[in-house]
């Protein structure tokens, strides 16, 4: 079986089947991002500085096997990507400059099927999520200038660059986050978050995937930065700072919630909606059995941050746990595979460590549905101690990798 893999970097996006791909990127004199960990958790800060220049390992040509296509974008940072399971669709959310949505064919040539340009609105955030088994991409846009409410637009292949619907948040909710939108597997449900950054309030809405009509809403007077749906859209996990809150989307009632140590991460839900994982300075897994939610795992390790890349298999039996060590200058990464069905046994572990001044912070990870493959994306090290994107099997044997001259920001 082929496993599609999709990565967004600065300023490039690539998609691969099976093994590895590399592609060129151009440095920009814009900003450099740094991670900072304090007692509250993880914070990302931006400072004026040139982006990382091309790596000496880079020859400008694709290498490896299984390459489908790569796209180089000289202007944008792709902070959000999504690839469907069975509809041959891939989606990019282009940020920083020339902000837009880009739709591509997963098994195509890399030429956009269509694009939707929002550059004139000067948004601070463009994010995308997609269905797995029907043609539907949902684009969340926030922080536009002049100030305006956040919006969600639905797209499909038959209508191309013409949105099939548009949802506009209430006026106060103008901000958005890169993980603030998700789509159920069959496209029937879209979940999105608009934020009032002044009053520190969040509005979570459940939309009809076919029409964009608002079905339900929940206002939380706290910062909620991310949402993830179960496959059928009946449940969602909200990242409410350090709190993982599981809601039932039919009535927006809370089914369970628990806290990890430290904010700045994002929380995950299994495809069946019965297992939730959250990370910070520790990582906790909670599982529903017979209608009762109970913690089944709670672990931590000194100086490790677990909030940026947990991944669950579809049935919640396997947890992939990457972390970075901030005491080493963010240069040591550890990856773990946990058998949740087997009582939380750690069945594999591997570590990478580099040198230099670059921060090798983890940007995201994903697991295949059967829990046999895992991908993790991190910013990389100055000495190129490991590829920025790594694909592991269940024994954490490296099965594929992607070396970029820039830094990955999103993976699917």
């Amino acid at each position: 079986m082929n496993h599609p893999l999709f990565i967004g970097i600065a300023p490039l996006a690539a998609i691969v089947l099976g093994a590895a791909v590399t592609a060129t990127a151009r440095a920009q004199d814009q900003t450099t991002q740094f991670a900072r960990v304090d007692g509250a958790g993880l914070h990302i800060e931006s400072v004026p500085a040139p982006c990382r220049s091309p790596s000496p390992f880079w020859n400008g040509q694709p290498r490896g096997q299984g390459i489908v296509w790569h796209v180089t974008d000289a202007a944008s940072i792709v902070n959000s990507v999504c690839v469907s399971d069975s509809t041959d669709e891939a989606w990019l959310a282009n940020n920083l400059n020339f902000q837009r949505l880009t739709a591509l064919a997963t098994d195509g040539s890399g030429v956009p099927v269509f694009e939707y340009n929002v550059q004139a609105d000067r948004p601070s955030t463009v994010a995308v999520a997609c269905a797995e088994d029907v043609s539907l991409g949902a684009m969340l846009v926030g922080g536009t200038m002049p100030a305006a409410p956040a919006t969600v637009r639905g797209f499909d292949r038959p209508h191309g660059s013409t949105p099939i619907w548009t949802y506009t948040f209430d006026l106060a909710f103008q901000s958005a986050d890169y993980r603030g939108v998700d789509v159920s597997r069959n496209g029937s449900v879209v979940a999105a978050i608009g934020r009032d950054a002044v009053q520190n309030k969040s509005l979570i809405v459940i939309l009809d995937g076919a029409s964009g009509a608002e079905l339900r809403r929940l206002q939380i007077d706290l910062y909620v930065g991310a949402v993830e749906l179960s496959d059928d859209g009946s449940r969602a996990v909200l990242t409410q700072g350090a709190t993982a809150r599981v809601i039932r989307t039919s009535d927006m009632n809370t089914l369970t919630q628990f806290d990890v140590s430290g904010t700045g991460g994002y929380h995950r839900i299994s495809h069946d909606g019965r297992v939730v994982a959250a990370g910070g300075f520790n990582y906790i897994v909670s599982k529903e059995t017979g209608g009762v939610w109970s913690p089944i795992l709670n672990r931590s390790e000194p100086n490790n941050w677990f909030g940026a890349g947990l991944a669950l298999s579809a049935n919640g039996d396997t947890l992939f746990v990457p972390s970075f060590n901030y005491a080493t200058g963010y240069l040591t990464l550890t990856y773990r595979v946990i058998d949740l069905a087997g009582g939380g046994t750690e069945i594999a572990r591997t570590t990478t460590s580099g040198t230099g001044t670059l921060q090798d912070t983890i940007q995201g990870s994903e697991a295949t549905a059967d829990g046999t493959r895992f991908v993790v994306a991190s910013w990389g090290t100055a000495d190129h101690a490991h590829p920025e994107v790594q694909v592991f099997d269940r024994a954490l044997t490296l099965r594929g990798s992607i070396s970029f001259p820039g830094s990955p920001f999103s993976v699917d």
Side-chain angles (χ1 to χ4, degrees), residues 33-37 42-44 305 308-309 322-326 329-333 335 358-364 376-381 386 388 407-409:
Q33 290 185 307
F34 293 90
R36 177 171 62 88
V37 173
L42 174 69
H43 314 272
I44 301 297
W305 178 257
S323 67
F324 62 80
N325 188 314
Y326 49 87
Y330 306 83
L331 292 174
T332 301
L333 306 184
Y335 318 104
L358 301 179
Q359 294 185 335
D360 194 16
T361 56
I362 294 167
Q363 297 300 295
V376 59
S378 65
W379 281 350
T381 61
H386 64 85
E388 286 79 17
S407 297
F409 280 77

Side-chain angles (χ1 to χ4, degrees), residues 14 25 91 132 169 173 210 280 288 291 343 383 391 402:
W91 306 81
E132 301 289 354
F169 280 89
F173 299 94
E288 182 193 35
D383 64 340
V391 182
I402 305 170

Side-chain angles (χ1 to χ4, degrees), residues 107-151:
D107 199 16
S109 63
V111 176
V113 176
F114 65 85
E115 295 184 314
Y116 186 83
N117 187 351
V118 292
Q119 183 178 17
D121 297 330
R122 293 187 291 162
S124 61
T125 303
V126 183
V128 67
C130 67
E132 301 289 354
D133 294 329
V134 298
S135 180
L136 179 63
M139 180 177 79
L140 173 65
V141 177
T144 59
M145 296 293 291
T151 60

Side-chain angles (χ1 to χ4, degrees), residues 136 138 152 165 181-184 187-192 205-209 229:
L136 179 63
V152 187
W165 50 259
V181 63
D182 199 17
V183 182
S184 65
S188 62
V189 173
V190 175
V205 295
I206 303 299
L207 310 177
D208 178 78
L229 289 164

Side-chain angles (χ1 to χ4, degrees), residues 74-135:
S76 300
I77 291 179
V78 182
N79 289 79
S80 176
V81 297
C82 188
V83 60
S84 69
D85 189 7
S86 61
T87 64
D88 193 36
E89 293 180 344
W91 306 81
L92 286 73
N94 299 77
N95 285 265
L96 183 63
N97 299 303
F98 190 18
Q99 298 95 328
R100 67 197 188 278
L101 174 78
T102 303
L104 304 108
T106 306
D107 199 16
S109 63
V111 176
V113 176
F114 65 85
E115 295 184 314
Y116 186 83
N117 187 351
V118 292
Q119 183 178 17
D121 297 330
R122 293 187 291 162
S124 61
T125 303
V126 183
V128 67
C130 67
E132 301 289 354
D133 294 329
V134 298
S135 180

